[in-house]
Amino acid sequence: MKDIGLVLVQPTPQVAHEPLISGVEHGLEEILIKSDMRLVTRVVRDSAAELAVYRSWNTSKAVDAVVLVRLTRGDRRIAFLEKLGVPFAAIADESQLGDFSAVAIDYAGMMHALVAHLTDRGHTKIVFVSGAEELSSIRAAAFLAEARAGGFDGHVRKPDPAAGGSDAVTREILADDDPPTAIVYDDDLSAAAGLVTIQALGLSVPGDVAVVAWNDSVRCQSAKPSITAMSNEAHTVGMLVGQSLLETVATGEATLLHAPNSFIVEREST
Amino acid sequence: MAKMIGPSSENTRSAILDLIRSGGVVSRVDLVETSGLTAASITRIVKTLMSDGLVIETGFGDSTGGKRPTLLELNAGSRYAVGISLDDARLTYVVTDLAGVLVGRLVSAGIGDTYPPTVIERIQAELDVLLTQLDIERSDVVGVGVAGAGRRDVSGAVLRASLSAPDWENFAVKQALEAASGFTVFLENDSACAALGEFWVGRIPATQDFATLYMATGIGCGLIIRGSVYGGASSNAGEIGHMIIDVNGPDCWCGSRGCLEMLAAPLAVVQRALADTTLATSLGLSGQPSELRMDFARIARAAAQGDPGCVALIEQSANFLAKALISLANLVDLDRLYLAGPGFADAGSIYYRIIRDQLDSLAFMRSVHPVHVELSEVGLESAALGAAAVALQSELTPHHKVASGV
Ligand SMILES: [Zn+2]
């Protein structure tokens, strides 16, 4: 086995990959290079093109196994790859596991830690601003489950990119008669944009509103004030995916590995 | 843009292509206005660009009285460029379309201390593998840009010495790779590539001067002046790694002492960490020269997650870099600076904060204008993306010629 493939669906052209994907790639590469293997990443515009790439790779034998990211419920790529006979490993939430190789991430457990960080600081009304991808809805569901169990007032809002995205949804949230004292953003970009909006409204962070980002990045670290975030374990997840693939191919059996839980990196925004 | 394209210029065609590229979607009338050429010349040039498949018609613009103008844009998917970053720790290949957008990448083992002809053989084979993996025809590749560390000789073709890969001294990368692969190869310094990468992806107007500090195993600096790489007498400008920071400092392999690289580069950080045996053990540092960059990444990741010992080590490195960058900013009156390369991948925010704060408080011209600092968004890939940009630029828009001898 020499070449591992990763297909990324990006509907709009982008110059570089998002930080979480880069982190996974670099961790994976670290493992592969040690075994004198290679990682190829191919960018496509939609999921039909993604399947076409797997078909082409299977025909040309130019790639020996693939990594699946951004799993969805009943993801059709799994059956597709199994039918082709292409070995793969997926990055999946605990709730998405099946009879295939995967690195499992426990979003519910991580959400529990995040919410505890806020409720410990006296927050009783919290809004979760979700993202576009399906994994975000798993996190949103975990957030609402925490609200029911923990007895705080929790709401989920989904920004509409066409209608102003993070900025507009933040304004709507804070225009409420009884606005929340904490906002959790599903990604670093929205959190950084939301922070700017909150400050533009004349409110202070964390005095009036606390801000948390689900995934940590340089944006969170260099924002003013710096943004509290869940630690970025992408590099470790990437290394585990590499191990899972190597074991899968060596043993012919599905290999399940568990990613370490992210922890809260406490900064100035909470 | 000023009307500066003369009809007699042999680079007229490439200049028009660049106007279409940078304009996004334009009409022939727009091109007449921005180029200063006659409508007949524009019509003729656009016709040849379209017959070569480089430009396509995309629809109609708004009418300004007469008939609605036909809009043109770059046919981004018609050709591709390859960029390769020749790095100790990993070889990174990127493939971009004509617009510089990433369509694929391949990463394999770094060059380490492998004998250069062996590496060239591997690159030739991996180029074939990558094009198959991306379903791209060889004939659609305009060229291969290569980014590497080190000095070039007077011919501009030979990429020379670096501490980590001494065999590359006097090895003609361009000729060897051209002979092996059959592609046109362009060679550029990795820090210059990182700077060009920022420029080419369109984040910076062509009129703006800026510098990109690039850290991998060594430290270099790419200077972009009016849209082109500043090369100096021999295309070797930007060796900020050998700026002397401490006249009584440790001996450097270049012959000086107290150079920035000896104080701030990954090797210096890892050596300091190894001196603290408790820290070295808890991080699992190997101390092997071949694992230098991985050891550095371990320290940087621990620092990003708040380990106090590692934070102190990275802050010390950042402090030396900040001092060198203050001198650079003072020397060339810089107002824009990017931090790029694998050295900033894991603890970039610590470097960013210290460099920004020191430039804010210590740059000589701070009362006149600030020095804007940013971490490159293209990060680890910046050298490879820039190398692809060199290939695209040299092939498609030679009027923008990079300042080096390629
Ligand atoms: Zn030196």
Side-chain angles (χ1 to χ4, degrees), chain B residues 129-163:
Chain B
V129 168
L130 176 59
L131 294 180
T132 306
Q133 287 165 337
L134 300 183
D135 291 306
I136 289 174
E137 298 289 333
R138 283 180 64 94
S139 54
D140 287 338
V141 175
V142 297
V144 176
V146 178
R151 291 179 292 232
R152 243 192 307 256
D153 75 1
V154 284
S155 75
V158 182
L159 200 66
R160 302 181 74 189
S162 89
L163 168 68

PDB file of all heavy atoms in Angstrom, chain B residues 129-163:
ATOM      1  N   VAL B 129       2.454   9.972 -11.014  1.00  0.00           N
ATOM      2  CA  VAL B 129       1.427   9.412 -10.127  1.00  0.00           C
ATOM      3  C   VAL B 129       0.359  10.472  -9.841  1.00  0.00           C
ATOM      4  O   VAL B 129      -0.842  10.216  -9.956  1.00  0.00           O
ATOM      5  CB  VAL B 129       2.068   8.936  -8.800  1.00  0.00           C
ATOM      6  CG1 VAL B 129       0.991   8.627  -7.765  1.00  0.00           C
ATOM      7  CG2 VAL B 129       2.941   7.709  -9.039  1.00  0.00           C
ATOM      8  N   LEU B 130       0.802  11.677  -9.498  1.00  0.00           N
ATOM      9  CA  LEU B 130      -0.144  12.735  -9.121  1.00  0.00           C
ATOM     10  C   LEU B 130      -1.073  13.093 -10.284  1.00  0.00           C
ATOM     11  O   LEU B 130      -2.282  13.242 -10.098  1.00  0.00           O
ATOM     12  CB  LEU B 130       0.633  13.974  -8.649  1.00  0.00           C
ATOM     13  CG  LEU B 130      -0.192  15.210  -8.316  1.00  0.00           C
ATOM     14  CD1 LEU B 130      -1.207  14.911  -7.210  1.00  0.00           C
ATOM     15  CD2 LEU B 130       0.711  16.366  -7.879  1.00  0.00           C
ATOM     16  N   LEU B 131      -0.511  13.229 -11.493  1.00  0.00           N
ATOM     17  CA  LEU B 131      -1.357  13.596 -12.636  1.00  0.00           C
ATOM     18  C   LEU B 131      -2.377  12.492 -12.921  1.00  0.00           C
ATOM     19  O   LEU B 131      -3.522  12.785 -13.276  1.00  0.00           O
ATOM     20  CB  LEU B 131      -0.497  13.902 -13.863  1.00  0.00           C
ATOM     21  CG  LEU B 131       0.387  15.151 -13.714  1.00  0.00           C
ATOM     22  CD1 LEU B 131       1.205  15.385 -14.972  1.00  0.00           C
ATOM     23  CD2 LEU B 131      -0.444  16.393 -13.385  1.00  0.00           C
ATOM     24  N   THR B 132      -1.993  11.243 -12.730  1.00  0.00           N
ATOM     25  CA  THR B 132      -2.955  10.141 -12.880  1.00  0.00           C
ATOM     26  C   THR B 132      -4.030  10.241 -11.806  1.00  0.00           C
ATOM     27  O   THR B 132      -5.226  10.091 -12.079  1.00  0.00           O
ATOM     28  CB  THR B 132      -2.233   8.775 -12.746  1.00  0.00           C
ATOM     29  OG1 THR B 132      -1.151   8.753 -13.666  1.00  0.00           O
ATOM     30  CG2 THR B 132      -3.179   7.616 -13.035  1.00  0.00           C
ATOM     31  N   GLN B 133      -3.610  10.512 -10.578  1.00  0.00           N
ATOM     32  CA  GLN B 133      -4.574  10.601  -9.478  1.00  0.00           C
ATOM     33  C   GLN B 133      -5.561  11.746  -9.679  1.00  0.00           C
ATOM     34  O   GLN B 133      -6.694  11.688  -9.211  1.00  0.00           O
ATOM     35  CB  GLN B 133      -3.821  10.794  -8.152  1.00  0.00           C
ATOM     36  CG  GLN B 133      -3.118   9.523  -7.679  1.00  0.00           C
ATOM     37  CD  GLN B 133      -2.102   9.783  -6.589  1.00  0.00           C
ATOM     38  OE1 GLN B 133      -1.587  10.889  -6.444  1.00  0.00           O
ATOM     39  NE2 GLN B 133      -1.805   8.760  -5.804  1.00  0.00           N
ATOM     40  N   LEU B 134      -5.123  12.796 -10.369  1.00  0.00           N
ATOM     41  CA  LEU B 134      -6.003  13.948 -10.580  1.00  0.00           C
ATOM     42  C   LEU B 134      -6.667  13.912 -11.953  1.00  0.00           C
ATOM     43  O   LEU B 134      -7.407  14.833 -12.308  1.00  0.00           O
ATOM     44  CB  LEU B 134      -5.201  15.248 -10.423  1.00  0.00           C
ATOM     45  CG  LEU B 134      -4.542  15.473  -9.056  1.00  0.00           C
ATOM     46  CD1 LEU B 134      -3.837  16.829  -9.021  1.00  0.00           C
ATOM     47  CD2 LEU B 134      -5.562  15.388  -7.923  1.00  0.00           C
ATOM     48  N   ASP B 135      -6.408  12.862 -12.747  1.00  0.00           N
ATOM     49  CA  ASP B 135      -6.948  12.759 -14.104  1.00  0.00           C
ATOM     50  C   ASP B 135      -6.623  13.985 -14.949  1.00  0.00           C
ATOM     51  O   ASP B 135      -7.503  14.574 -15.590  1.00  0.00           O
ATOM     52  CB  ASP B 135      -8.476  12.534 -14.066  1.00  0.00           C
ATOM     53  CG  ASP B 135      -8.827  11.156 -13.517  1.00  0.00           C
ATOM     54  OD1 ASP B 135      -8.309  10.170 -14.053  1.00  0.00           O
ATOM     55  OD2 ASP B 135      -9.600  11.076 -12.541  1.00  0.00           O
ATOM     56  N   ILE B 136      -5.355  14.390 -14.904  1.00  0.00           N
ATOM     57  CA  ILE B 136      -4.905  15.540 -15.697  1.00  0.00           C
ATOM     58  C   ILE B 136      -3.915  15.050 -16.748  1.00  0.00           C
ATOM     59  O   ILE B 136      -3.022  14.260 -16.454  1.00  0.00           O
ATOM     60  CB  ILE B 136      -4.251  16.606 -14.784  1.00  0.00           C
ATOM     61  CG1 ILE B 136      -5.326  17.287 -13.923  1.00  0.00           C
ATOM     62  CG2 ILE B 136      -3.483  17.651 -15.606  1.00  0.00           C
ATOM     63  CD1 ILE B 136      -4.785  18.247 -12.904  1.00  0.00           C
ATOM     64  N   GLU B 137      -4.108  15.543 -18.002  1.00  0.00           N
ATOM     65  CA  GLU B 137      -3.203  15.169 -19.094  1.00  0.00           C
ATOM     66  C   GLU B 137      -1.892  15.937 -18.963  1.00  0.00           C
ATOM     67  O   GLU B 137      -1.900  17.126 -18.645  1.00  0.00           O
ATOM     68  CB  GLU B 137      -3.837  15.533 -20.446  1.00  0.00           C
ATOM     69  CG  GLU B 137      -5.145  14.831 -20.759  1.00  0.00           C
ATOM     70  CD  GLU B 137      -4.943  13.352 -21.049  1.00  0.00           C
ATOM     71  OE1 GLU B 137      -3.835  12.986 -21.501  1.00  0.00           O
ATOM     72  OE2 GLU B 137      -5.888  12.570 -20.801  1.00  0.00           O
ATOM     73  N   ARG B 138      -0.784  15.292 -19.267  1.00  0.00           N
ATOM     74  CA  ARG B 138       0.518  15.962 -19.224  1.00  0.00           C
ATOM     75  C   ARG B 138       0.538  17.221 -20.089  1.00  0.00           C
ATOM     76  O   ARG B 138       1.125  18.238 -19.732  1.00  0.00           O
ATOM     77  CB  ARG B 138       1.612  15.022 -19.745  1.00  0.00           C
ATOM     78  CG  ARG B 138       2.067  13.955 -18.799  1.00  0.00           C
ATOM     79  CD  ARG B 138       3.154  13.111 -19.465  1.00  0.00           C
ATOM     80  NE  ARG B 138       4.344  13.921 -19.752  1.00  0.00           N
ATOM     81  CZ  ARG B 138       5.386  13.997 -18.924  1.00  0.00           C
ATOM     82  NH1 ARG B 138       5.393  13.331 -17.800  1.00  0.00           N
ATOM     83  NH2 ARG B 138       6.424  14.761 -19.223  1.00  0.00           N
ATOM     84  N   SER B 139      -0.143  17.142 -21.258  1.00  0.00           N
ATOM     85  CA  SER B 139      -0.089  18.267 -22.199  1.00  0.00           C
ATOM     86  C   SER B 139      -0.823  19.500 -21.680  1.00  0.00           C
ATOM     87  O   SER B 139      -0.644  20.594 -22.202  1.00  0.00           O
ATOM     88  CB  SER B 139      -0.676  17.833 -23.542  1.00  0.00           C
ATOM     89  OG  SER B 139      -1.983  17.311 -23.335  1.00  0.00           O
ATOM     90  N   ASP B 140      -1.657  19.327 -20.643  1.00  0.00           N
ATOM     91  CA  ASP B 140      -2.370  20.476 -20.086  1.00  0.00           C
ATOM     92  C   ASP B 140      -1.592  21.151 -18.952  1.00  0.00           C
ATOM     93  O   ASP B 140      -2.083  22.090 -18.332  1.00  0.00           O
ATOM     94  CB  ASP B 140      -3.752  20.059 -19.577  1.00  0.00           C
ATOM     95  CG  ASP B 140      -4.715  19.774 -20.719  1.00  0.00           C
ATOM     96  OD1 ASP B 140      -4.467  20.293 -21.830  1.00  0.00           O
ATOM     97  OD2 ASP B 140      -5.689  19.031 -20.511  1.00  0.00           O
ATOM     98  N   VAL B 141      -0.393  20.669 -18.664  1.00  0.00           N
ATOM     99  CA  VAL B 141       0.421  21.267 -17.597  1.00  0.00           C
ATOM    100  C   VAL B 141       1.370  22.287 -18.210  1.00  0.00           C
ATOM    101  O   VAL B 141       2.173  21.948 -19.084  1.00  0.00           O
ATOM    102  CB  VAL B 141       1.225  20.175 -16.849  1.00  0.00           C
ATOM    103  CG1 VAL B 141       2.161  20.803 -15.821  1.00  0.00           C
ATOM    104  CG2 VAL B 141       0.261  19.200 -16.173  1.00  0.00           C
ATOM    105  N   VAL B 142       1.258  23.560 -17.788  1.00  0.00           N
ATOM    106  CA  VAL B 142       2.084  24.606 -18.403  1.00  0.00           C
ATOM    107  C   VAL B 142       3.516  24.586 -17.883  1.00  0.00           C
ATOM    108  O   VAL B 142       4.435  25.071 -18.544  1.00  0.00           O
ATOM    109  CB  VAL B 142       1.500  26.027 -18.191  1.00  0.00           C
ATOM    110  CG1 VAL B 142       0.150  26.157 -18.851  1.00  0.00           C
ATOM    111  CG2 VAL B 142       1.416  26.381 -16.711  1.00  0.00           C
ATOM    112  N   GLY B 143       3.723  24.038 -16.701  1.00  0.00           N
ATOM    113  CA  GLY B 143       5.079  24.003 -16.171  1.00  0.00           C
ATOM    114  C   GLY B 143       5.083  23.591 -14.713  1.00  0.00           C
ATOM    115  O   GLY B 143       4.031  23.455 -14.090  1.00  0.00           O
ATOM    116  N   VAL B 144       6.287  23.376 -14.220  1.00  0.00           N
ATOM    117  CA  VAL B 144       6.462  22.939 -12.842  1.00  0.00           C
ATOM    118  C   VAL B 144       7.347  23.956 -12.124  1.00  0.00           C
ATOM    119  O   VAL B 144       8.479  24.207 -12.547  1.00  0.00           O
ATOM    120  CB  VAL B 144       7.127  21.540 -12.790  1.00  0.00           C
ATOM    121  CG1 VAL B 144       7.389  21.125 -11.348  1.00  0.00           C
ATOM    122  CG2 VAL B 144       6.256  20.507 -13.494  1.00  0.00           C
ATOM    123  N   GLY B 145       6.825  24.556 -11.071  1.00  0.00           N
ATOM    124  CA  GLY B 145       7.621  25.478 -10.254  1.00  0.00           C
ATOM    125  C   GLY B 145       8.203  24.720  -9.074  1.00  0.00           C
ATOM    126  O   GLY B 145       7.546  23.857  -8.507  1.00  0.00           O
ATOM    127  N   VAL B 146       9.439  25.022  -8.749  1.00  0.00           N
ATOM    128  CA  VAL B 146      10.075  24.346  -7.618  1.00  0.00           C
ATOM    129  C   VAL B 146      10.555  25.387  -6.618  1.00  0.00           C
ATOM    130  O   VAL B 146      11.260  26.334  -6.977  1.00  0.00           O
ATOM    131  CB  VAL B 146      11.278  23.486  -8.081  1.00  0.00           C
ATOM    132  CG1 VAL B 146      11.959  22.833  -6.886  1.00  0.00           C
ATOM    133  CG2 VAL B 146      10.826  22.424  -9.072  1.00  0.00           C
ATOM    134  N   ALA B 147      10.154  25.215  -5.363  1.00  0.00           N
ATOM    135  CA  ALA B 147      10.577  26.114  -4.294  1.00  0.00           C
ATOM    136  C   ALA B 147      11.557  25.373  -3.396  1.00  0.00           C
ATOM    137  O   ALA B 147      11.274  24.275  -2.943  1.00  0.00           O
ATOM    138  CB  ALA B 147       9.367  26.557  -3.467  1.00  0.00           C
ATOM    139  N   GLY B 148      12.713  25.971  -3.198  1.00  0.00           N
ATOM    140  CA  GLY B 148      13.698  25.317  -2.342  1.00  0.00           C
ATOM    141  C   GLY B 148      14.483  26.325  -1.533  1.00  0.00           C
ATOM    142  O   GLY B 148      14.468  27.524  -1.832  1.00  0.00           O
ATOM    143  N   ALA B 149      15.178  25.815  -0.521  1.00  0.00           N
ATOM    144  CA  ALA B 149      15.999  26.697   0.300  1.00  0.00           C
ATOM    145  C   ALA B 149      17.372  26.828  -0.333  1.00  0.00           C
ATOM    146  O   ALA B 149      17.807  25.947  -1.060  1.00  0.00           O
ATOM    147  CB  ALA B 149      16.117  26.126   1.705  1.00  0.00           C
ATOM    148  N   GLY B 150      18.046  27.914  -0.071  1.00  0.00           N
ATOM    149  CA  GLY B 150      19.440  28.012  -0.471  1.00  0.00           C
ATOM    150  C   GLY B 150      19.747  29.115  -1.458  1.00  0.00           C
ATOM    151  O   GLY B 150      18.895  29.911  -1.809  1.00  0.00           O
ATOM    152  N   ARG B 151      20.999  29.130  -1.909  1.00  0.00           N
ATOM    153  CA  ARG B 151      21.483  30.185  -2.806  1.00  0.00           C
ATOM    154  C   ARG B 151      21.475  29.707  -4.237  1.00  0.00           C
ATOM    155  O   ARG B 151      21.588  28.532  -4.521  1.00  0.00           O
ATOM    156  CB  ARG B 151      22.927  30.545  -2.443  1.00  0.00           C
ATOM    157  CG  ARG B 151      23.072  31.229  -1.134  1.00  0.00           C
ATOM    158  CD  ARG B 151      24.538  31.504  -0.860  1.00  0.00           C
ATOM    159  NE  ARG B 151      25.269  30.269  -0.628  1.00  0.00           N
ATOM    160  CZ  ARG B 151      26.050  30.052   0.444  1.00  0.00           C
ATOM    161  NH1 ARG B 151      26.160  30.965   1.371  1.00  0.00           N
ATOM    162  NH2 ARG B 151      26.705  28.928   0.566  1.00  0.00           N
ATOM    163  N   ARG B 152      21.390  30.683  -5.144  1.00  0.00           N
ATOM    164  CA  ARG B 152      21.481  30.367  -6.555  1.00  0.00           C
ATOM    165  C   ARG B 152      22.798  30.910  -7.086  1.00  0.00           C
ATOM    166  O   ARG B 152      23.279  31.926  -6.620  1.00  0.00           O
ATOM    167  CB  ARG B 152      20.340  31.049  -7.287  1.00  0.00           C
ATOM    168  CG  ARG B 152      19.380  30.094  -7.937  1.00  0.00           C
ATOM    169  CD  ARG B 152      18.508  30.870  -8.853  1.00  0.00           C
ATOM    170  NE  ARG B 152      17.928  31.971  -8.096  1.00  0.00           N
ATOM    171  CZ  ARG B 152      16.675  31.955  -7.677  1.00  0.00           C
ATOM    172  NH1 ARG B 152      15.910  30.931  -7.929  1.00  0.00           N
ATOM    173  NH2 ARG B 152      16.198  32.978  -7.026  1.00  0.00           N
ATOM    174  N   ASP B 153      23.378  30.251  -8.093  1.00  0.00           N
ATOM    175  CA  ASP B 153      24.599  30.797  -8.681  1.00  0.00           C
ATOM    176  C   ASP B 153      24.234  31.858  -9.716  1.00  0.00           C
ATOM    177  O   ASP B 153      23.062  32.170  -9.912  1.00  0.00           O
ATOM    178  CB  ASP B 153      25.468  29.679  -9.279  1.00  0.00           C
ATOM    179  CG  ASP B 153      24.915  29.147 -10.594  1.00  0.00           C
ATOM    180  OD1 ASP B 153      23.862  29.650 -11.057  1.00  0.00           O
ATOM    181  OD2 ASP B 153      25.522  28.230 -11.148  1.00  0.00           O
ATOM    182  N   VAL B 154      25.260  32.420 -10.390  1.00  0.00           N
ATOM    183  CA  VAL B 154      24.999  33.559 -11.270  1.00  0.00           C
ATOM    184  C   VAL B 154      24.065  33.236 -12.418  1.00  0.00           C
ATOM    185  O   VAL B 154      23.372  34.106 -12.921  1.00  0.00           O
ATOM    186  CB  VAL B 154      26.318  34.149 -11.836  1.00  0.00           C
ATOM    187  CG1 VAL B 154      27.024  34.958 -10.776  1.00  0.00           C
ATOM    188  CG2 VAL B 154      27.218  33.046 -12.383  1.00  0.00           C
ATOM    189  N   SER B 155      24.024  31.979 -12.865  1.00  0.00           N
ATOM    190  CA  SER B 155      23.138  31.637 -13.971  1.00  0.00           C
ATOM    191  C   SER B 155      21.690  31.592 -13.505  1.00  0.00           C
ATOM    192  O   SER B 155      20.774  31.571 -14.302  1.00  0.00           O
ATOM    193  CB  SER B 155      23.519  30.272 -14.558  1.00  0.00           C
ATOM    194  OG  SER B 155      23.083  29.235 -13.699  1.00  0.00           O
ATOM    195  N   GLY B 156      21.486  31.572 -12.209  1.00  0.00           N
ATOM    196  CA  GLY B 156      20.132  31.554 -11.678  1.00  0.00           C
ATOM    197  C   GLY B 156      19.532  30.176 -11.696  1.00  0.00           C
ATOM    198  O   GLY B 156      18.428  29.960 -11.229  1.00  0.00           O
ATOM    199  N   ALA B 157      20.253  29.221 -12.215  1.00  0.00           N
ATOM    200  CA  ALA B 157      19.646  27.911 -12.424  1.00  0.00           C
ATOM    201  C   ALA B 157      19.939  26.928 -11.297  1.00  0.00           C
ATOM    202  O   ALA B 157      19.277  25.925 -11.168  1.00  0.00           O
ATOM    203  CB  ALA B 157      20.130  27.322 -13.742  1.00  0.00           C
ATOM    204  N   VAL B 158      20.943  27.212 -10.538  1.00  0.00           N
ATOM    205  CA  VAL B 158      21.360  26.226  -9.554  1.00  0.00           C
ATOM    206  C   VAL B 158      20.973  26.681  -8.150  1.00  0.00           C
ATOM    207  O   VAL B 158      21.313  27.774  -7.730  1.00  0.00           O
ATOM    208  CB  VAL B 158      22.888  26.010  -9.612  1.00  0.00           C
ATOM    209  CG1 VAL B 158      23.310  24.947  -8.607  1.00  0.00           C
ATOM    210  CG2 VAL B 158      23.290  25.598 -11.015  1.00  0.00           C
ATOM    211  N   LEU B 159      20.258  25.843  -7.474  1.00  0.00           N
ATOM    212  CA  LEU B 159      19.868  26.170  -6.119  1.00  0.00           C
ATOM    213  C   LEU B 159      20.920  25.570  -5.212  1.00  0.00           C
ATOM    214  O   LEU B 159      21.197  24.385  -5.270  1.00  0.00           O
ATOM    215  CB  LEU B 159      18.508  25.551  -5.834  1.00  0.00           C
ATOM    216  CG  LEU B 159      17.736  26.147  -4.679  1.00  0.00           C
ATOM    217  CD1 LEU B 159      17.355  27.571  -4.988  1.00  0.00           C
ATOM    218  CD2 LEU B 159      16.496  25.312  -4.462  1.00  0.00           C
ATOM    219  N   ARG B 160      21.530  26.423  -4.400  1.00  0.00           N
ATOM    220  CA  ARG B 160      22.724  25.953  -3.706  1.00  0.00           C
ATOM    221  C   ARG B 160      22.534  25.809  -2.213  1.00  0.00           C
ATOM    222  O   ARG B 160      21.444  25.758  -1.700  1.00  0.00           O
ATOM    223  CB  ARG B 160      23.880  26.888  -4.034  1.00  0.00           C
ATOM    224  CG  ARG B 160      24.122  26.964  -5.541  1.00  0.00           C
ATOM    225  CD  ARG B 160      25.259  27.854  -5.877  1.00  0.00           C
ATOM    226  NE  ARG B 160      26.531  27.226  -5.541  1.00  0.00           N
ATOM    227  CZ  ARG B 160      27.683  27.883  -5.579  1.00  0.00           C
ATOM    228  NH1 ARG B 160      27.714  29.148  -5.890  1.00  0.00           N
ATOM    229  NH2 ARG B 160      28.794  27.256  -5.281  1.00  0.00           N
ATOM    230  N   ALA B 161      23.657  25.807  -1.542  1.00  0.00           N
ATOM    231  CA  ALA B 161      23.812  25.357  -0.173  1.00  0.00           C
ATOM    232  C   ALA B 161      22.689  25.637   0.808  1.00  0.00           C
ATOM    233  O   ALA B 161      22.099  26.699   0.824  1.00  0.00           O
ATOM    234  CB  ALA B 161      25.072  25.991   0.381  1.00  0.00           C
ATOM    235  N   SER B 162      22.415  24.649   1.623  1.00  0.00           N
ATOM    236  CA  SER B 162      21.694  24.899   2.850  1.00  0.00           C
ATOM    237  C   SER B 162      22.317  23.989   3.889  1.00  0.00           C
ATOM    238  O   SER B 162      22.932  22.981   3.553  1.00  0.00           O
ATOM    239  CB  SER B 162      20.205  24.612   2.676  1.00  0.00           C
ATOM    240  OG  SER B 162      19.927  23.278   2.967  1.00  0.00           O
ATOM    241  N   LEU B 163      22.183  24.352   5.119  1.00  0.00           N
ATOM    242  CA  LEU B 163      22.790  23.603   6.209  1.00  0.00           C
ATOM    243  C   LEU B 163      22.294  22.163   6.214  1.00  0.00           C
ATOM    244  O   LEU B 163      23.044  21.209   6.395  1.00  0.00           O
ATOM    245  CB  LEU B 163      22.442  24.267   7.544  1.00  0.00           C
ATOM    246  CG  LEU B 163      22.765  23.468   8.800  1.00  0.00           C
ATOM    247  CD1 LEU B 163      24.268  23.330   8.971  1.00  0.00           C
ATOM    248  CD2 LEU B 163      22.161  24.133  10.024  1.00  0.00           C
TER     249      LEU B 163
END
